[in-house]
Amino acid sequence: MLNVTKASLYKMFHDKAFWLCLAGTVAWAMVVIAAQVLTAGSRGISDVSQLANRWQGFIGLHSIEVPLIMSAVVLFSGEFRDKSWKLLIAKGISKASFYASKLISILTLTVIISFVSIMTTAIANVVVLHATLDGTYVMNCLTFFMGECLAHLTIATVVLAVIFLVRLGEIAAIISMFLMVFGYVIFHAVEMALGFGEVITDFWAFSQTAFVDFGGAIHWGKLGIVFLGYLTVCSVIVIASMALRDIE
């Protein structure tokens, strides 16, 4: 288990796609900053520095989730595409250990992408939007990073589950993007039709950034419960699916 995890992390860090993904994350974060500046007038904000406190929608949906999904698909679907994962199983690596190694890798990737994205935006907010760099700002950035990171760890478990279940990178990317954009709407419509109100969809994986606020108001309890719930459910589904499906 330990060796296969080390091998998975080593492969991820030494893959050119990993560094391209980080470069893309930085570029996407800069696009977010540009969008904030260009739309300041239409949103009735005279002082663009106020936009430093309006990260939630931009950061949550654009500059972390999209790079995370694309990075995960590129880095973790390759072994299914070239069939190399069969060699690991043939050498005695259990399917559960193989999945666990990829889970640890994608969670590590999520932390890195979240940090790069948020720190890029935090620095740009100071340089471009003239946000005040003081102790409160730094603490807000760190707290926001921790909250967004936990929220996106939840999303990462869903994306990895899709990759393992579908095993085709292109299809996994489409499904993950679809869930990100339309998943909440669909689940919410079903929930309303059943007369439940907005209860279940409040915990939909791709809406977890709703529990994270740059100002420090983070629902740690909800985020923790949701992450553990998705981690457990996704892991059980994937491992059960791998046990039932032939490696051929």
Side-chain angles (χ1 to χ4, degrees):
M1 171 62 188
L2 181 59
N3 289 334
V4 72
T5 300
K6 287 181 178 179
S8 180
L9 289 171
Y10 179 87
K11 182 177 181 180
M12 182 181 75
F13 287 129
H14 287 77
D15 195 318
K16 291 181 180 179
F18 171 76
W19 300 104
L20 289 175
C21 290
L22 292 188
T25 299
V26 172
W28 200 292
M30 295 308 297
V31 169
V32 170
I33 289 293
Q36 292 184 74
V37 173
L38 293 174
T39 59
S42 62
R43 294 163 66 188
I45 300 175
S46 58
D47 181 3
V48 292
S49 66
Q50 296 178 31
L51 291 170
N53 290 320
R54 301 198 177 193
W55 290 5
Q56 185 174 330
F58 285 100
I59 289 292
L61 180 60
H62 298 298
S63 57
I64 296 180
E65 288 181 10
V66 174
L68 172 59
I69 291 173
M70 300 310 297
S71 302
V73 169
V74 171
L75 292 169
F76 300 111
S77 65
E79 286 170 305
F80 291 112
R81 182 175 56 255
D82 59 20
K83 311 295 184 181
S84 61
W85 76 287
K86 296 180 182 180
L87 299 177
L88 294 174
I89 303 301
K91 289 182 178 180
I93 302 298
S94 69
K95 295 178 180 179
S97 295
F98 175 71
Y99 169 72
S101 69
K102 297 305 177 185
L103 179 62
I104 293 173
S105 297
I106 197 173
L107 295 183
T108 302
L109 176 67
T110 302
V111 174
I112 294 173
I113 288 181
S114 299
F115 180 81
V116 170
S117 179
I118 291 172
M119 290 305 107
T120 299
T121 312
I123 294 172
N125 264 299
V126 173
V127 176
V128 179
L129 303 179
H130 309 295
T132 303
L133 181 59
D134 54 17
T136 300
Y137 183 78
V138 173
M139 287 303 300
N140 280 347
C141 288
L142 293 176
T143 303
F144 186 72
F145 159 68
M146 293 172 63
E148 282 288 346
C149 192
L150 184 54
H152 285 87
L153 289 177
T154 300
I155 294 172
T157 61
V158 177
V159 174
L160 186 65
V162 171
I163 293 173
F164 266 74
L165 294 174
V166 176
R167 298 186 181 180
L168 295 174
E170 298 81 358
I171 304 300
I174 292 173
I175 292 175
S176 296
M177 290 293 186
F178 179 86
L179 291 174
M180 182 187 74
V181 177
F182 299 108
Y184 180 86
V185 176
I186 294 173
F187 276 77
H188 180 55
V190 172
E191 191 174 28
M192 294 300 291
L194 296 175
F196 292 149
E198 191 168 359
V199 179
I200 300 175
T201 46
D202 195 33
F203 294 91
W204 175 237
F206 288 90
S207 66
Q208 291 315 301
T209 51
F211 297 150
V212 181
D213 186 348
F214 175 68
I218 297 177
H219 300 269
W220 296 108
K222 283 187 176 181
L223 284 174
I225 292 172
V226 171
F227 170 59
L228 293 176
Y230 272 89
L231 180 64
T232 301
V233 172
C234 289
S235 297
V236 169
I237 291 175
V238 170
I239 293 175
S241 174
M242 293 181 71
L244 294 173
R245 293 169 66 178
D246 190 89
I247 65 171
E248 298 297 331

